Amino acid sequence: MTPYDVLIIGAGPGGYVTAIRAAQLGLKTAIVEREHLGGICSNWGCIPTKALLRSAEVYRNLKHARDFGLSVDGARVDFPAVVKRSRAVATRMNTGVGFLMKKNKIDVIWGEARLTRPGEVAVGPASKPAIQPQTPPPKGTLGPGTYQAKHIIIATGARPRVLPGLEPDGRLVWSYFEALKPERMPKSLLVIGSGAIGIEFASFFHTLGAEVTVVEVLPQILPFEDTEIAAFARKAFEKAGMTILSGAKVTALDRGDDSVTVTIDTETGRREIAAERVLSAIGVVGNIENVGLEDVGVKTERGTIVIDEMCRTNVPGLYAIGDIAGPPMLAHKAEHEGVICVEAIAGLHPHPLDRRMIPGCTYCHPQIASVGLSEARAKEKGFEVRVGRFPFVGNGKAVALGEDQGLVKTVFDASTGQLLGAHMVGAEVTELIQGFVVAMNLETTEEELMHTVFPHPTLSETMKESVLDAYGRALNM
């Protein structure tokens, strides 16, 4: 077989987007996948969780129908139907990726890939994943064999991090795989970890009626968020009825017949909490094992592959993108890295990825979104800052929606007016944050933002008001 120009290992969001861009650039392209087209994101992560959270949002609105002058009798949760819808959404996404591969004339090779030498990959039969069976290979898929390519891009993604004593067992102690497809709705759930994964599932199960406790070893929940935003979100979670334990460590799990007793060390002493199910959400770790990295001499560091600004490893012709190339471990970061990588291969001289401008979103209730430096981090870096804040309670659209609990916070360099960071909590902020992302990429200052006309009435007006507040000019507060 004629060598490929580009061969990608892994068909997650980073891998398949990279393959499409390579094909657009006229490169003969193949992609190797062992489990699911679309990867974890489309099948067991980003997309199906949002389907679950959408069901929770609809149910929350039904429960508060009277607040809007409506009467809805008999609203209840059909939990199997909720899960079924989520899985149907995942299947639709999986099928869509297959269509895109066919449309762009990208060869799909089904199996497990291993680097044998620079420019060569051996693909063997796909082993059965630990959690779920593979998606059936699409029609026209190539099978096991040895394949050559001028450029090989590793995009094997990540899996749930497992700590000793907290190992998921598939029934009582869950990873996010089991949380997406539980056998039944638990009456109580203890979530270990308050990052995006933990908080999203905590929000989902709590909204549908479970008693939820979140345990975080650090003093702050949502540890990567601005302190003020995290505190606002915590207050909202606790007001809704969640129990939050920060500065707390799970030291033991006692697994019973149909429940778990968890021992937790807190600042005030040791306590035990019983829950029907436990979700271990302590992060993810890159899939760098069994790829053959050591066979070809690829340099790794702290569980990730070392790359340069164009995603090149230390081995010529070999690249890495996405979760295995280091944090932040986000689908949109993987996609952008992949485009940069393949455009560099094609000689287009793309701009390197600026990780400071990668937004992060958490789709709980209320939603959380951020980009750039937090106030504390900006001060640590030596900036003299101007900080603006605007609450949703001062926004007409938020009040009309019945979503008046939220906050937008902006951080500026006091000397230049450069927007250093933006941090938001409230309704639909995961959709709003891109406005600040665009502004930062265009090196926009406070002056341009102040002179931008925002439509009324919209939630986006909170963004402009936050900018105005940083300079003592807020109009609606």
Side-chain angles (χ1 to χ4, degrees):
M1 178 179 289
T2 303
Y4 291 100
D5 294 315
V6 174
L7 184 144
I8 300 142
I9 303 174
Y16 85 74
V17 166
T18 303
I20 292 171
R21 184 63 183 132
Q24 289 174 343
L25 292 169
L27 301 173
K28 183 180 180 182
T29 306
I31 192 164
V32 184
E33 176 55 47
R34 68 174 186 178
E35 296 178 31
H36 313 284
L37 293 178
I40 291 297
C41 182
S42 294
N43 294 277
W44 296 102
C46 318
I47 303 302
T49 56
K50 304 313 165 280
L52 293 178
L53 287 161
R54 174 61 170 166
S55 292
E57 179 184 23
V58 172
Y59 183 59
R60 184 186 304 109
N61 289 337
L62 287 173
K63 290 194 297 181
H64 293 92
R66 292 188 182 280
D67 296 340
F68 298 89
L70 305 173
S71 179
V72 177
D73 298 322
R76 63 181 183 85
V77 177
D78 183 345
F79 192 68
V82 170
V83 173
K84 182 179 180 181
R85 176 181 181 271
S86 172
R87 300 315 309 154
V89 169
T91 299
R92 180 174 174 180
M93 296 301 296
N94 176 283
T95 303
V97 174
F99 167 77
L100 290 172
M101 297 299 96
K102 183 177 180 180
K103 174 186 174 183
N104 288 280
K105 297 180 174 58
I106 297 163
D107 286 346
V108 176
I109 304 168
W110 206 256
E112 288 193 21
R114 186 178 182 90
L115 300 165
T116 52
R117 61 181 181 178
E120 184 175 277
V121 171
V123 179
S127 63
K128 185 177 181 181
I131 304 299
Q132 297 292 334
Q134 298 100 327
T135 300
K139 290 182 179 179
T141 297
L142 299 175
T146 300
Y147 298 87
Q148 283 79 38
K150 299 174 186 176
H151 305 276
I152 297 172
I153 302 172
I154 308 169
T156 48
R159 63 187 184 278
R161 184 183 299 276
V162 176
L163 294 182
L166 303 181
E167 297 90 350
D169 56 32
R171 194 175 71 88
L172 296 175
V173 181
W174 296 342
S175 68
Y176 57 72
F177 288 102
E178 293 86 9
L180 276 165
K181 196 178 179 181
E183 58 189 22
R184 61 178 173 79
M185 173 72 183
K187 294 180 180 179
S188 55
L189 176 69
L190 186 140
V191 179
I192 306 172
S194 69
I197 294 173
I199 289 296
E200 286 184 0
F201 278 114
S203 183
F204 167 71
F205 282 102
H206 177 263
T207 299
L208 295 195
E211 180 182 334
V212 173
T213 300
V214 177
V215 181
E216 171 56 55
V217 70
L218 297 175
Q220 175 185 309
I221 68 166
L222 297 159
F224 296 108
E225 299 296 339
D226 181 90
T227 300
E228 194 171 350
I229 296 299
F232 189 105
R234 176 172 183 158
K235 185 177 180 180
F237 298 151
E238 291 178 328
K239 183 178 180 181
M242 279 191 216
T243 299
I244 309 286
L245 301 175
S246 57
K249 182 179 180 181
V250 174
T251 56
L253 290 175
D254 183 12
R255 308 176 198 230
D257 292 335
D258 198 29
S259 65
V260 183
T261 300
V262 182
T263 302
I264 304 169
D265 286 349
T266 70
E267 295 176 350
T268 58
R270 178 166 290 182
R271 61 186 294 183
E272 291 186 346
I273 296 178
E276 283 195 359
R277 298 293 182 267
V278 171
L279 169 61
S280 179
I282 49 179
V284 297
V285 59
N287 294 318
I288 66 171
E289 305 86 358
N290 304 316
V291 187
L293 300 180
E294 60 282 355
D295 296 336
V296 295
V298 175
K299 184 179 179 181
T300 62
E301 189 175 275
R302 297 181 181 179
T304 59
I305 297 174
V306 178
I307 60 171
D308 68 8
E309 61 184 14
M310 292 294 120
C311 304
R312 294 175 290 229
T313 72
N314 62 303
V315 177
L318 193 58
Y319 312 77
I321 65 168
D323 293 350
I324 56 163
M329 293 180 171
L330 300 168
H332 44 284
K333 175 257 194 182
E335 293 177 4
H336 199 78
E337 277 184 327
V339 171
I340 289 172
C341 179
V342 81
E343 288 187 350
I345 288 171
L348 298 185
H349 307 292
H351 291 291
L353 174 65
D354 188 341
R355 298 190 182 209
R356 298 172 303 170
M357 298 185 190
I358 301 173
C361 298
T362 305
Y363 300 80
C364 48
H365 185 268
Q367 292 181 11
I368 300 157
S370 60
V371 65
L373 300 176
S374 66
E375 179 183 359
R377 186 64 178 143
K379 289 177 178 178
E380 287 173 7
K381 284 184 168 289
F383 289 101
E384 181 183 349
V385 300
R386 298 192 69 132
V387 178
R389 301 172 181 85
F390 193 81
F392 273 38
V393 72
N395 176 263
K397 180 66 176 295
V399 173
L401 291 174
E403 297 281 2
D404 63 357
Q405 295 304 298
L407 175 68
V408 177
K409 179 177 181 178
T410 44
V411 182
F412 291 89
D413 181 343
S415 62
T416 66
Q418 177 189 4
L419 177 61
L420 300 174
H423 311 273
M424 314 168 77
V425 55
E428 301 303 328
V429 297
T430 58
E431 297 291 341
L432 298 177
I433 192 64
Q434 57 81 26
F436 284 131
V437 177
V438 171
M440 289 179 66
N441 272 276
L442 294 177
E443 299 181 352
T444 302
T445 67
E446 90 290 354
E447 185 174 353
E448 285 89 5
L449 288 167
M450 286 180 182
H451 283 89
T452 300
V453 179
F454 284 66
H456 175 80
T458 64
L459 295 174
S460 69
E461 291 173 283
T462 61
M463 300 164 65
K464 180 173 181 176
E465 289 277 8
S466 177
V467 175
L468 291 170
D469 181 62
Y471 290 84
R473 292 175 52 182
L475 299 171
N476 286 284
M477 180 176 63

